[in-house]
Amino acid sequence: KIAGGPRCDYDKECQVLQHVLATTLADDPDAVVRSIESFSVVDGRGWLKIAGDGKGAVLDELLLRLCGPERPRLLLEFGCYVGYSATRMSRLLKTWGGRMISVEVDPVHVCIARSVLEHAGLQDTVMIHVGHTEEVIPQLYKVCGGRRADAVFMDQKGTRFHIDLQALEDHSLLAPHCVLAADNVLAGKR
């Protein structure tokens, strides 16, 4: 609960931003990544749906090894949430001049993620578009300046993967060597 304020549907996400701002210095993306990862353990604040821990290491490998000797110049992300994976990946992209475009459906999440990325000093590396993928994907070719993505990270609703992948192909947004990673693809039976 945000101190002194009424509860809202975004309490946890606002608390993540407060935690990042309170525990990190500006322009230190590695510290921001660690801060978001530690948030759920600090004071038992709760679990966040982020690609952390082992999944975060996979994201690093995606950019550093799986894409081959040529570092990705353009990465597309679908599902930004609070900006954890955008921060994690763009901190690497920035070192070789790469760019990232992220798509998030929830405008409140977009505001929080943009604040996190600005605090991390990555606002010039990542551009976040708000909207549903079926509305945003057709615009991305122009937004990307005709450049195709070298890597794609899909972290949105799992039922959208096939539809969105087809839309990316239909709009010529994938480079021939593009590497695709996706989270939320398996659902266990209970």
Side-chain angles (χ1 to χ4, degrees), residues 115-173:
S115 296
V116 166
L117 288 159
E118 183 175 342
H119 181 71
L122 298 168
Q123 68 276 6
D124 294 333
T125 304
V126 183
M127 179 187 307
I128 305 175
H129 287 268
V130 63
H132 292 274
T133 53
E134 62 267 20
E135 298 161 352
V136 176
I137 288 174
Q139 301 170 23
L140 288 180
Y141 190 78
K142 184 177 180 182
V143 169
C144 297
R147 183 167 189 91
R148 295 177 178 179
D150 303 302
V152 175
F153 177 50
M154 295 182 143
D155 195 18
Q156 78 276 44
K157 189 176 186 180
T159 56
R160 294 286 320 168
F161 290 159
H162 293 92
I163 297 164
D164 292 342
L165 179 57
Q166 186 62 57
L168 291 169
E169 290 175 345
D170 291 347
H171 288 90
S172 301
L173 286 163

Side-chain angles (χ1 to χ4, degrees), residues 39-113:
F39 174 81
S40 61
V41 230
V42 175
D43 299 327
R45 291 185 181 169
W47 177 78
L48 290 172
K49 188 168 180 14
I50 60 171
D53 299 323
K55 291 179 183 180
V58 169
L59 296 178
D60 292 347
E61 290 295 310
L62 169 74
L63 296 176
L64 296 172
R65 289 191 177 70
L66 295 179
C67 289
E70 292 293 320
R71 299 286 189 227
R73 306 298 292 168
L74 177 63
L75 184 145
L76 300 177
E77 175 189 49
F78 297 93
C80 191
Y81 189 42
V82 296
Y84 169 79
S85 55
T87 302
R88 183 167 190 128
M89 293 185 289
S90 64
R91 83 190 203 288
L92 298 173
L93 287 167
K94 184 177 182 175
T95 64
W96 58 76
R99 288 189 30 202
M100 178 178 196
I101 296 175
S102 185
V103 178
E104 172 58 49
V105 70
D106 189 310
V108 175
H109 292 166
V110 169
C111 290
I112 291 168

